[in-house]
Amino acid sequence: MKDDSGGAPVDTWNTIDALWKWLEADQPVGGREGLLLRMLKLSEEVGEVAEAVIGATGQNPRKGVTHTWDDVEAELCDVVITAMVALRSLTPEAREVFGRHLARVAGRSPGT
């Protein structure tokens, strides 16, 4: 995967580890409560996807069209990144846990 600027390839899990380290070093709330708050961040990000979809389709008659489908893509990416960081917060073996789970899901899906 390459970054948006067309620069060097980005290693997804190394980037997730770096984001996790950055968040761990500067978290205002630690311990179990901090971990739970990190999980709740997912709900916030999913809400932003919903807001972007509603805005892209103009479903709020008071606001009209306020977002683009590019905004929806970006918000979905934020959900994925947040989930990966949350998984890394639960286990240093996040890469392996995710790989095994993805293989199980792919193995039970039609056409794989």
Side-chain angles (χ1 to χ4, degrees):
M1 174 175 24
K2 289 189 176 233
D3 67 15
D4 284 343
S5 65
V10 174
D11 180 293
T12 302
W13 283 105
N14 285 341
T15 303
I16 294 301
D17 281 340
L19 290 169
W20 172 78
K21 287 176 188 170
W22 171 67
L23 289 169
E24 286 293 303
D26 195 29
Q27 66 178 351
V29 178
R32 183 178 174 104
E33 185 178 358
L35 180 63
L36 295 174
L37 289 168
R38 188 152 304 153
M39 301 303 144
L40 287 176
K41 179 72 173 160
L42 277 166
S43 293
E44 177 190 6
E45 295 297 340
V46 169
E48 291 176 9
V49 171
E51 179 182 12
V53 169
I54 289 167
T57 57
Q59 290 303 302
N60 183 335
R62 186 174 51 82
K63 294 181 180 179
V65 175
T66 58
H67 291 74
T68 67
W69 289 103
D70 287 343
D71 295 326
V72 176
E73 289 175 2
E75 296 300 345
L76 286 168
C77 289
D78 286 347
V79 169
V80 172
I81 293 165
T82 302
M84 292 175 84
V85 170
L87 180 60
R88 175 59 186 88
S89 297
L90 285 175
T91 177
E93 307 299 323
R95 181 186 311 236
E96 293 79 12
V97 169
F98 182 77
R100 286 191 305 269
H101 188 76
L102 183 59
R104 281 193 302 272
V105 170
R108 69 177 185 244
S109 299
T112 56

